[in-house]
Amino acid sequence: MPDYRTIRGTACYTYEEKRSRFIGAVSFADTEEAALGFLNRVRAANRTARHNVYAYVLQSGRVRYSDDGEPAKTAGTPVLEAIQHAGVSDVVLVVTRYFGGILLGTGGLVRAYTAAASGALAAAELVQMRSVVDCALAVPYAQYEPVRRLIEQAGARLEEPEFADKVTLRWRQPAGEEGALCAALDEALRGAAAVTVTPPHFAPF
């Protein structure tokens, strides 16, 4: 699966049009269960709202959207198009509408749902998902600084070290790049580098 963009966590944005309030809420969701779970939480938090329009796009290729009672193509489609325009996946976006008593017409609905959806996406933190491995290595204190420098020079992302009887370094790097670093560490530690490496998985990097 190729690298892709998604969002971290959740974000919200509120748009008002002729006394109707449109609340866009977007969340990371990498499964259909996660997407529907977020939708149900938004619905539960907005029980008195007239509509909870939604769309989600998963990296697996699964795409789904709903107008939730609004005229066809005035709500769910604009929300879906906002996600696609942002170029993200593994994302669910719900726009909750509190009706203000004034009809907006089809053009007004499209504009309002687009504005709420786009605003929520603009408020979200975008992240790049890559195939990565997480690594760990425990070294004597005397070897900590040279080993840390080797890991940083390899372009890996280090976590905070753990200091005990030895120093444990943990880092993340793109899958396929760990071999060269492990070899350099083994050479620096004279064959004593016992690096643990996780199987490749998708994560922010």
Side-chain angles (χ1 to χ4, degrees):
M1 186 166 62
D3 298 348
Y4 67 99
R5 291 202 311 167
T6 186
I7 70 163
R8 192 193 305 275
T10 62
C12 294
Y13 177 81
T14 299
Y15 176 83
E16 293 191 12
E17 178 75 20
K18 295 181 180 178
R19 299 208 298 260
S20 279
R21 191 154 46 102
F22 297 80
I23 306 169
V26 63
S27 176
F28 172 77
D30 56 357
T31 65
E32 196 155 21
E33 291 76 17
L36 294 176
F38 181 75
L39 168 63
N40 289 333
R41 289 192 295 275
V42 172
R43 282 174 170 164
N46 296 277
R47 294 186 186 279
T48 61
R50 180 71 66 89
H51 306 282
N52 285 287
V53 170
Y54 71 89
Y56 57 81
V57 176
L58 305 183
Q59 182 64 14
S60 64
R62 177 68 165 157
V63 175
R64 188 175 174 185
Y65 64 95
S66 169
D67 294 307
D68 194 33
E70 294 281 33
K73 297 185 178 181
T74 65
T77 299
V79 173
L80 174 61
E81 289 175 347
I83 296 173
Q84 293 171 332
H85 180 72
V88 294
S89 54
D90 280 352
V91 163
V92 55
L93 207 166
V94 185
V95 178
T96 300
R97 181 190 183 189
Y98 285 90
F99 184 54
I102 300 174
L103 297 176
L104 302 184
T106 56
L109 287 172
V110 170
R111 286 192 299 274
Y113 278 105
T114 298
S118 299
L121 286 163
E125 179 188 357
L126 293 176
V127 294
Q128 186 77 13
M129 299 291 276
R130 297 186 65 177
S131 179
V132 298
V133 292
D134 292 322
C135 307
L137 172 66
V139 298
Y141 276 73
Q143 297 294 333
Y144 166 57
E145 283 297 334
V147 166
R148 180 184 61 81
R149 284 195 296 270
L150 279 173
I151 295 170
E152 289 178 342
Q153 288 166 4
R157 295 189 178 176
L158 269 167
E159 298 179 7
E160 286 295 317
E162 298 174 11
F163 297 99
D165 56 327
K166 289 186 174 182
V167 183
T168 299
L169 297 104
R170 303 182 190 279
W171 67 92
R172 172 173 289 173
Q173 63 186 127
E177 296 182 7
E178 70 276 10
L181 176 56
C182 287
L185 291 170
D186 201 48
E187 181 179 351
L189 296 173
R190 299 180 181 179
V195 181
T196 61
V197 182
T198 67
H201 59 283
F202 273 86
F205 189 83

